[in-house]
Amino acid sequence: MKLIFAIVSNDDASLVTSSLVDEKYSVTRLATTGGFLKAGNTTLLVGTEEAKVEKALEIIGSHSRRRKQAMPILRPSEIGAYDTQTVEVIVGGATIFVIDVEKYLKL
Ligand code: 2BA
């Protein structure tokens, strides 16, 4: 038995969670905060058999990979108004730990 800790962005958490549940994984979702940015993120706990770990990692990775996203920003223009411009930002990504589970009990 293994326990996967997956720290994902809040934006990706719902899709990652529902995709895991659709594939019959049990998932616990925790609202967490990154120590560096102090911004909210989501930590998923997934307890599963060793044989199902790789598939879980694929599911998590496919819905939380780092990717570029166009984001509109407002910039002051020369005539005192504001222009809308688009910048590319990196969003998503997952930090994953897989650990051995010594005991798994449901009491
Ligand atoms: P990532 O490395 O992608 O980490 C995203 C979030 O995953 C982290 O949020 C933290 O909540 C968790 N995390 C990552 N590595 C971890 C680990 N070894 N143990 C426990 N949790 C871990 P934040 O701490 O807010 O960090 C956000 C981003 O800021 C990081 O993205 C990294 O690019 C950067 N960063 C984090 N710590 C840094 C530091 N000490 N110096 C410079 N940059 C840092």
Side-chain angles (χ1 to χ4, degrees), residues 7 34-38 41 66 95 97:
I7 304 161
F36 187 68
L37 295 181
K38 309 219 172 355
N41 53 29
R66 279 180 207 277
T95 299
F97 303 88

Side-chain angles (χ1 to χ4, degrees), residues 44-57:
L44 304 176
L45 305 186
V46 186
T48 189
E49 300 142 39
E50 188 163 1
K52 292 177 69 184
V53 167
E54 282 313 311
K55 170 98 176 174
L57 299 183

Side-chain angles (χ1 to χ4, degrees), residues 13-100:
S14 293
L15 188 54
V16 174
T17 305
S18 57
S19 303
L20 287 166
V21 170
D22 286 350
E23 292 296 328
K24 312 284 184 245
Y25 290 92
S26 291
V27 182
T28 296
R29 188 173 157 166
L30 306 174
T32 46
T33 304
F36 187 68
L37 295 181
K38 309 219 172 355
N41 53 29
T42 299
T43 300
L44 304 176
L45 305 186
V46 186
T48 189
E49 300 142 39
E50 188 163 1
K52 292 177 69 184
V53 167
E54 282 313 311
K55 170 98 176 174
L57 299 183
E58 271 170 37
I59 293 169
I60 296 166
S62 67
H63 297 297
S64 60
R65 221 173 279 288
R66 279 180 207 277
R67 67 252 180 211
K68 288 182 182 163
Q69 186 171 298
M71 193 172 250
I73 55 164
L74 278 180
R75 304 189 72 159
S77 71
E78 286 167 10
I79 57 166
Y82 285 89
D83 280 339
T84 307
Q85 292 189 357
T86 304
V87 292
E88 277 199 336
V89 294
I90 305 284
V91 296
T95 299
I96 297 174
F97 303 88
V98 182
I99 61 170
D100 290 324

